[in-house]
Amino acid sequence: MLYTAFIFGLISSFHCIGMCGPIAMMLPVDRTNQTKKATQIITYHLGRLTAYATIGFVFGLLGKGFFLAGLQQNLSIFIGVAMILIVLTPDKIFAKYNFSKPVFKLISKIKTALGSQFRNKSYKSLFTIGLLNGFLPCGMVYVALFGAIAMQSESLGVLYMILFGLGTVPMMSSVVYINSFLTIPIRNRIQKAIPYVAVCIGCLFILRGLGLGIPYISPSNMSLFIQADPNCH
C-alpha cells in the first residue's frame, strides 16, 4: 500500500498549490543563481519531509498498537471508509466546527515563526520554513495520516508520509519556476480529480481489510497476521 502514498501526494499537490503555493512563491531563494536556487528549494522540501516523517512516526506508532492488538483488518476498513467520507464531505460542513480551536495558539505561533523566517535567506531558514510549513493544518495531510496509521509500524508510518511528501515535491517546486502557467482554471480542473483518487485509495484500504485473497490488493486473512509457524498448502 506504500505506492498509494506517492500517488496521493502527486495528485493532492494541486490542492497544496492553493494552500501552500504562496509560501513556495515567497521563498527567499537566490533568483540570479539557478544552481543555488535549486539547492535552496531542495532544502525547503527537506524541512517539509522532516515534518511529515515526524508526524508519520507518531501515527505509525499508533497504528502499531492496533496491529499488536490484532485489529489491523478492522482498522484498514475503518480508515478506508474514513478517507472516503472526508473527501466527500462538503467543506461547509467542516466549516461549522472549529477543529483547530484546541491548538489555535500553537498554530498561531507556528505562523508567526514562519513569517519571521522569510527575512533570512540562509539554508537554515529555508529548512525551518519547510519544517513549519509541514506542521500547518492541511486536509490532504490528514487523509495521508490515515494511511500512516494503517501501515502497522512506526518505520512504515514514516516511510508512508515521506512518500506522500515526495509526491508533492514536483508540483510545489514548479510553482517557483512556472507559477504563471498554473492558472486558476487549470488548478480547478485538476483539483476535481483529488476526491476520485482519494476514494480509490480508500477502496484499496477497504479491500485490504476484507482479505479477499487477491494478490497485492486484498491478501487473505491468514497472511495479514504474524504467526510463529508459516501456513503451507
Side-chain angles (χ1 to χ4, degrees), residues 4 8 78-88 142-148 160 195 198-199 201-203 205:
T4 64
F8 186 61
F78 170 79
I79 287 173
V81 172
M83 281 184 172
I84 294 173
L85 289 177
I86 287 176
V87 298
L88 294 183
Y142 296 158
V143 175
L145 286 175
F146 279 112
Y160 191 93
V199 168
I201 293 176
C203 289
F205 275 101

Side-chain angles (χ1 to χ4, degrees), residues 79-106:
I79 287 173
V81 172
M83 281 184 172
I84 294 173
L85 289 177
I86 287 176
V87 298
L88 294 183
T89 302
D91 292 338
K92 61 182 180 180
I93 293 181
F94 285 114
K96 294 180 180 179
Y97 305 96
N98 188 359
F99 293 106
S100 300
K101 188 174 181 179
V103 291
F104 180 75
K105 291 183 178 180
L106 177 60

Side-chain angles (χ1 to χ4, degrees), residues 198-217:
V199 168
C200 289
I201 293 176
C203 289
L204 285 174
F205 275 101
I206 293 173
L207 289 172
R208 180 189 182 212
L210 291 175
L212 301 177
I214 304 173
Y216 304 109
I217 296 178

